[in-house]
Amino acid sequence: MKIFDLPAKSSVLSSDASNHVVNEYSNSDLPFYRKLGRTDLTVSCLGIGGGGSISSEDTLHAFDQGINYFFYSSDLHHYIYSPMSDALRQLCGRSSSVREKVVLATVTYLKGTEAATAALLDQFTELKMDYIDVFFWGWIGHNDGAIFEDSMHTSRDLRGSNSIYHRLIERMIGTSERMKKMGIVRYVGASFHDLNLAQQWVDSPLLDVVMVRHNVAHRHAQDYVFKHLDANNPQRPGVVTFKSAGMLNPLWETPAGLPKDCWQPSVPDLYRYSLSQNCVDVALMGPEKREHIDAAIAGVKQGKLKPNEIDYLNLYGDLHRDRLSIEEVSPQRLIYQA
């Protein structure tokens, strides 16, 4: 699909629409927009990733509804991310009139300083953009400590204008006024699958944004990362979560033994669970269609989960992971459907 084939109803977000979204959430304990850690980026608390092969039309719908954080892979699973590429070219390409309202995060799962050149060239060529807001090193596992450290030392060469990588990409694809001002990468992030490494790097000045798996059944990020951050510290890194709804074992499916009349959380409830944690800025979604986006936004309107709801969802996650049986759960901790 070409950009000019996109339907008119998928128009870009106007200033009036953006102000409406801000005002609608102004009194919420779960603000829709927040500062992404120590960066100067203002992000929506819900982000769009391509894991559900969301279409460009529905990606633009998300932007029309106020979502401004978009996550894109140039290598691993690129085929499921690519359906949103037309929308990202329209929102972030060199001719975009709304580029400054978008926070574009891209990722490469190729590790090492030499891999960055190939990944950046692929991303700039495909999306025809001027700059990336957050460039992520992806899937940092327990065997990646040494190569990740090497990769992180490229942060100063990646970030800002007139950096080494800026000059390299500029020679390859040409420059622009936006690129001269911003550089090709504004901030550097990492997506951790090893939480010990995440804990080691969370205070590093080389790392601006931390991305970790977190959901009701996998809560280790709360102990390894979230509790070590001070929400009032303006120098803390930004925090993004992924896999809120599970992966191989969908968390919206009822765990064995749970009484039928107990609260069965929806996917938007699972996003709220992550967003109710300390210092979480963005819960990354993998929606398949615009109805999923609308439901998630409606969920955020309900505000943070209450302590008893978080406690219940902890039990719910433990039941999913077979850490306990329903017979071990006090009935007073259960929440029943209204």
Side-chain angles (χ1 to χ4, degrees):
M1 177 181 291
K2 298 179 180 179
I3 294 176
F4 51 75
D5 290 332
L6 293 174
K9 65 181 180 180
S10 294
S11 59
V12 295
L13 184 68
S14 68
S15 296
D16 289 343
S18 179
N19 290 335
H20 172 72
V21 173
V22 172
N23 292 335
E24 188 174 357
Y25 289 88
S26 60
N27 296 320
S28 173
D29 63 352
L30 190 61
F32 194 78
Y33 294 108
R34 65 278 307 279
K35 190 169 176 284
L36 182 61
R38 61 169 166 263
T39 75
D40 66 353
L41 302 172
T42 298
V43 293
S44 54
C45 65
L46 297 170
I48 301 292
S53 287
I54 189 77
S55 70
S56 282
E57 294 91 338
D58 289 350
T59 300
L60 291 174
H61 172 78
F63 186 66
D64 282 340
Q65 301 307 307
I67 292 175
N68 77 335
Y69 186 94
F70 299 93
F71 181 83
Y72 193 75
S73 172
S74 61
D75 35 63
L76 184 66
H77 300 317
H78 178 252
Y79 72 98
I80 60 174
Y81 282 79
S82 60
M84 68 190 296
S85 61
D86 277 334
L88 295 183
R89 280 190 286 272
Q90 180 168 329
L91 294 172
C92 301
R94 290 194 163 185
S95 62
S96 171
S97 62
V98 295
R99 177 63 184 93
E100 288 73 20
K101 295 181 179 180
V102 181
V103 176
L104 176 64
T106 66
V107 63
T108 179
Y109 296 92
L110 305 173
K111 300 177 180 69
T113 55
E114 294 181 1
T117 302
L120 288 166
L121 183 58
D122 284 348
Q123 292 168 8
F124 275 84
T125 301
E126 181 180 16
L127 299 182
K128 304 185 186 307
M129 59 192 170
D130 294 293
Y131 63 90
I132 297 165
D133 292 290
V134 187
F135 178 76
F136 277 92
W137 297 104
W139 205 306
I140 308 303
H142 68 278
N143 292 323
D144 296 322
I147 194 169
F148 178 62
E149 183 170 0
D150 180 53
S151 299
M152 284 308 302
H153 284 294
T154 67
S155 290
R156 296 184 180 91
D157 298 330
L158 280 167
R159 290 186 296 206
S161 60
N162 202 35
S163 67
I164 293 172
Y165 285 91
H166 179 185
R167 296 195 297 271
L168 180 63
I169 295 297
E170 191 177 67
R171 288 198 299 270
M172 292 179 174
I173 69 169
T175 190
S176 68
E177 290 304 313
R178 280 174 172 162
M179 186 182 289
K180 288 178 182 177
K181 178 182 177 183
M182 300 293 187
I184 59 166
V185 171
R186 298 182 66 188
Y187 300 101
V188 173
S191 174
F192 291 96
H193 284 247
D194 185 315
L195 292 174
N196 284 301
L197 280 174
Q199 188 179 62
Q200 292 173 32
W201 283 92
V202 74
D203 291 323
S204 171
L206 300 175
L207 185 62
D208 304 305
V209 185
V210 175
M211 185 164 157
V212 291
R213 179 174 68 167
H214 177 258
N215 58 52
V216 298
H218 295 87
R219 305 190 296 272
H220 300 300
Q222 294 170 205
D223 294 323
Y224 282 83
V225 179
F226 304 162
K227 79 175 186 180
H228 297 283
L229 298 175
D230 179 359
N232 297 315
N233 180 4
Q235 293 305 309
R236 73 164 177 86
V239 177
V240 179
T241 62
F242 65 97
K243 300 298 183 190
S244 295
M247 188 175 174
L248 299 178
N249 186 17
L251 294 173
W252 61 85
E253 294 181 356
T254 306
L258 187 72
K260 292 182 178 180
D261 53 349
C262 279
W263 173 30
Q264 180 65 34
S266 64
V267 172
D269 291 327
L270 299 174
Y271 296 141
R272 287 172 66 211
Y273 179 83
S274 285
L275 290 170
S276 297
Q277 306 297 323
N278 179 52
C279 290
V280 172
D281 299 307
V282 180
L284 191 65
M285 305 185 291
E288 298 175 356
K289 53 189 177 181
R290 66 181 58 195
E291 288 80 8
H292 295 166
I293 294 165
D294 294 341
I297 292 173
V300 170
K301 291 181 181 180
Q302 299 177 51
K304 285 187 176 182
L305 293 171
K306 299 178 179 63
N308 68 312
E309 293 173 324
I310 291 177
D311 178 66
Y312 170 82
L313 290 180
N314 290 341
L315 292 173
Y316 178 93
D318 287 342
L319 289 170
H320 252 281
R321 294 281 291 174
D322 295 322
R323 295 193 188 103
L324 79 170
S325 65
I326 192 64
E327 290 75 21
E328 300 174 79
V329 178
S330 168
Q332 287 73 31
R333 298 178 67 186
L334 297 177
I335 297 179
Y336 294 88
Q337 302 279 8

